[in-house]
Amino acid sequence: MNLAEHGKTVRVHYIGTLDTGRIFDSTEGGDPYEFTIGNGQVFPALEQAVIGMAAGEVKNILVPAEEAFGGWRKENILTLERGRFPRDRELRVGQKLSIGFAGGQALVMMVVDAGEDMVTLDGNHPLAGHDLTFALKLEGVK
């Protein structure tokens, strides 16, 4: 029997849900997700859950927020004067912007408030602070 182990490439179908039951991602209706165990392509907890599984096996796992996208952090909120953006640039709540910082670093941030005088941006990952549940089905091991 060909089991998933470190260094092997696996194909999994999954449905990812939040505590509310809301689906945040799924391969349902599409191709399985393929990754190599140990290459850091997925959360370590997900890699560990797949190790030892055989093709056709199913498993549900919970990945705590701190082992997924981390906790929601207030320091990732940035409020700037509207004048720091081009005058003709429309800013809408929910819009994603790439913001450049000193040293050449850029971060994608989401507009959470766009007033006439101030704009508030959130640099947290949209799933930060959420525990994630994955329903997995291992489709194959190479």
Side-chain angles (χ1 to χ4, degrees):
M1 183 177 289
N2 195 12
L3 299 179
E5 58 188 62
H6 191 83
K8 289 195 174 182
T9 299
V10 297
R11 291 184 327 277
V12 296
H13 271 296
Y14 67 88
I15 299 172
T17 57
L18 302 175
D19 288 343
T20 61
R22 188 184 116 225
I23 296 173
F24 65 85
D25 197 12
S26 174
T27 59
E28 195 170 36
D31 293 329
Y33 183 72
E34 185 173 290
F35 65 94
T36 301
I37 298 172
N39 280 6
Q41 297 164 278
V42 297
F43 306 122
L46 189 56
E47 285 187 335
Q48 288 303 310
V50 171
I51 291 175
M53 289 178 71
E57 192 173 342
V58 296
K59 184 185 281 189
N60 290 332
I61 67 157
L62 173 68
V63 180
E66 292 304 324
E67 293 178 31
F69 294 102
W72 186 89
R73 298 172 46 172
K74 185 177 181 176
E75 57 268 24
N76 289 341
I77 303 296
L78 182 64
T79 300
L80 301 169
E81 293 178 5
R82 177 63 175 94
R84 296 192 64 175
F85 296 89
R87 191 179 239 21
D88 60 343
R89 175 123 194 216
E90 179 186 356
L91 297 173
R92 300 175 318 279
V93 171
Q95 179 180 12
K96 293 180 183 176
L97 302 174
S98 180
I99 305 297
F101 291 91
Q105 179 186 2
L107 181 64
V108 174
M109 301 185 82
M110 183 179 296
V111 177
V112 293
D113 187 35
E116 287 186 32
D117 299 324
M118 304 298 283
V119 175
T120 303
L121 305 169
D122 185 348
N124 288 291
H125 187 281
L127 296 175
H130 293 280
D131 295 334
L132 309 178
T133 299
F134 292 90
L136 304 171
K137 180 178 182 188
L138 186 64
E139 295 293 336
V141 180
K142 294 191 234 178

